[in-house]
Amino acid sequence: MKFRGILSILLTLVLVAMIMSCKPKEQEVLKEGGEVKPVATQEATPEAARQEPAAVAASTAKPAGEQPATAAAAAASPEKPVAQQPAAPATDIALEVNTKKLKKSVLQNQVDQRYQAMKANVPKGQEKEAKAAIRKEIINDFILRTVLAEEADRLKIFASVKEVDEGFNRFEKSLPQGVTLKDVLKMNRITKEKIREDLQLGIRVGKLLEQRTGGGKPSDKEVADFYEKNIESFKIPESVKARHILVATATGDDDTVKKEKRQKVDNIRKQLLDGADFAQLAASSSDCPSKESGGDLGTFNRGQMVKAFEDAAFSQKINEIGQVVETEFGYHIIQVSEKNSAKTTPLDDETKKRIAAHLQQEKQRADFAVLLEQLRAKAKIVLH
């Protein structure tokens, strides 16, 4: 698994900060845990040259109104061109953002580190283009970190130790199964302290947006309008939950082999009709990977299985041991355990919460893009 630094961990974790800032008690910065001093943006020091990870989280398909959104998407909006001075003096400074400076040596170190982490995926002959793209990303990262941190400083917006601790715990719990914090630190050449710094700035930016928008909480009418306009997304199609046993066939099977396999599946079905345990027979006799879970295929809608299999599954009675079904994969014995009729998710309290969360994230993301444009527009940015 590759971890790619896009605006570091900062912008992705702004979402965490937003969630935390929705809790009134947590908006009081120094109420518990003491103050964490504002993080300086990346300075021209070797310490700043470490590569930074993007937050990793497994996502699953969700109905409209529950779609995940990250602040990183907002940063993809058109950027203000970076000012460039003609005939810049020979210096080790690569970039100046107001009073902050990024050294050429630090920038090159970051480019090299990020390129090393991704070079296996770079097509042959495109090393130069890849490094140029990485360089642009790092420069944009530095600009955004600087203007956001300075705006938070100006408004005296800070983050408490408790808030950073909670954010760090949320981040660690969000890692995909099988990925540890140690893996993230090693693959990105980063420390826990650097992640905490990113989290701190993310929390501060979240509070900054909270001040600007009041949290962006949508009205009941906005929620209802969204539901009506996207009603198709809330429709749940007919589905069944089933398990099966497969005796697989192959392209090269002759009539004799097919006959033997048919006899095998007929014998399995007879055992089931006589009371044999379906899961045990699936485990010992099925040629489908689902054998590991007793033949369980979970719940599926129409259109997800081959037609012959689907027709049989949706027409069978619950718990019935179905007739043998032949498909391109072989011979199947199907047992349906649950049937669900098509329906529309009602606009109940849970659905309203999901829609409200989605709309709130959309508003916050849009405001974040506006904020970045405003801060970049008034910043003095010089690329040498």
Side-chain angles (χ1 to χ4, degrees), residues 214-225:
K217 186 176 180 180
S219 66
D220 291 342
K221 184 177 185 305
E222 287 176 313
V223 170
D225 287 347

Side-chain angles (χ1 to χ4, degrees), residues 37-64:
K37 294 181 180 179
V39 175
T41 53
Q42 294 175 328
E43 298 286 354
T45 62
E47 191 66 19
R50 294 169 296 193
Q51 182 181 351
E52 300 149 348
V56 285
S59 63
T60 55
K62 298 180 180 180

Side-chain angles (χ1 to χ4, degrees), residues 27-305:
Q27 294 180 39
E28 300 177 32
V29 180
L30 301 180
K31 192 165 186 177
E32 294 187 64
E35 177 184 341
V36 177
K37 294 181 180 179
V39 175
T41 53
Q42 294 175 328
E43 298 286 354
T45 62
E47 191 66 19
R50 294 169 296 193
Q51 182 181 351
E52 300 149 348
V56 285
S59 63
T60 55
K62 298 180 180 180
E66 199 177 7
Q67 298 169 1
T70 65
S77 57
E79 301 170 4
K80 173 190 173 185
V82 176
Q84 251 183 325
Q85 288 184 338
T91 173
D92 188 38
I93 303 303
L95 174 67
E96 296 178 65
V97 182
N98 296 331
T99 60
K100 303 295 181 182
K101 296 179 176 63
L102 176 64
K103 286 186 176 181
K104 291 178 180 178
S105 55
V106 172
L107 175 59
Q108 188 59 50
N109 192 8
Q110 290 187 3
V111 171
D112 291 342
Q113 286 189 3
R114 293 194 187 183
Y115 179 76
Q116 286 301 314
M118 64 175 285
K119 69 176 182 179
N121 297 320
V122 177
K124 188 176 181 180
Q126 293 189 22
E127 174 182 345
K128 184 177 180 181
E129 291 81 359
K131 287 188 175 182
I134 294 171
R135 184 176 187 275
K136 182 178 179 181
E137 182 181 278
I138 293 171
I139 287 172
N140 193 49
D141 186 353
F142 183 90
I143 293 170
L144 297 186
R145 281 174 168 273
T146 301
V147 297
L148 287 168
E150 289 183 350
E151 182 67 2
D153 289 346
R154 185 182 72 82
L155 296 174
K156 294 180 171 53
I157 297 174
F158 308 114
S160 70
V161 172
K162 179 183 177 183
E163 288 171 320
V164 176
D165 287 343
E166 290 176 346
F168 190 90
N169 291 335
R170 289 171 190 257
F171 167 68
E172 191 168 6
K173 289 178 181 178
S174 75
L175 297 177
Q177 187 175 3
V179 177
T180 66
L181 179 63
K182 185 177 180 181
D183 295 332
V184 176
L185 299 180
K186 181 178 179 181
M187 295 179 73
N188 292 274
R189 300 184 181 94
I190 194 172
T191 64
K192 289 182 181 180
E193 289 71 25
K194 188 65 180 72
I195 291 180
R196 289 179 64 87
E197 288 178 4
D198 288 338
L199 273 164
Q200 183 207 340
L201 185 52
I203 292 168
R204 296 176 72 203
V205 172
K207 291 181 178 183
L208 173 58
L209 289 174
E210 177 78 16
Q211 280 192 10
R212 287 170 57 93
T213 66
K217 186 176 180 180
S219 66
D220 291 342
K221 184 177 185 305
E222 287 176 313
V223 170
D225 287 347
F226 181 90
Y227 178 80
E228 291 300 327
K229 290 178 181 178
N230 296 276
I231 193 65
E232 290 299 319
S233 299
F234 293 92
K235 290 183 177 180
I236 302 173
E238 179 185 10
S239 65
V240 297
K241 182 176 182 181
R243 56 184 178 177
H244 81 142
I245 294 173
L246 169 67
V247 176
T249 55
T251 305
D253 289 351
D254 57 25
D255 290 343
T256 301
V257 174
K258 286 184 178 179
K259 184 177 180 180
E260 290 174 352
K261 290 183 176 180
R262 177 63 198 226
Q263 289 175 343
K264 178 182 177 181
V265 77
D266 286 339
N267 180 53
I268 294 172
R269 182 171 184 273
K270 184 178 183 303
Q271 293 179 60
L272 292 172
L273 292 173
D274 289 341
D277 184 88
F278 195 105
Q280 289 181 2
L281 270 179
S284 62
S285 305
S286 182
D287 295 321
C288 178
S290 63
K291 65 187 294 180
E292 301 299 330
S293 56
D296 186 21
L297 296 171
T299 301
F300 53 90
N301 305 329
R302 285 189 181 276
Q304 292 184 266
M305 301 292 183

Side-chain angles (χ1 to χ4, degrees), residues 284-346:
S284 62
S285 305
S286 182
D287 295 321
C288 178
S290 63
K291 65 187 294 180
E292 301 299 330
S293 56
D296 186 21
L297 296 171
T299 301
F300 53 90
N301 305 329
R302 285 189 181 276
Q304 292 184 266
M305 301 292 183
V306 293
K307 191 174 187 308
F309 188 97
E310 176 185 284
D311 288 345
F314 278 87
S315 63
Q316 279 185 208
K317 295 178 180 178
I318 292 178
N319 295 326
E320 177 183 60
I321 301 299
Q323 296 291 332
V324 174
V325 178
E326 184 176 1
T327 72
E328 61 196 81
F329 301 104
Y331 301 108
H332 308 259
I333 303 170
I334 306 170
Q335 185 180 44
V336 174
S337 60
E338 184 180 299
K339 284 191 172 185
N340 304 296
S341 300
K343 62 180 180 179
T344 300
T345 302

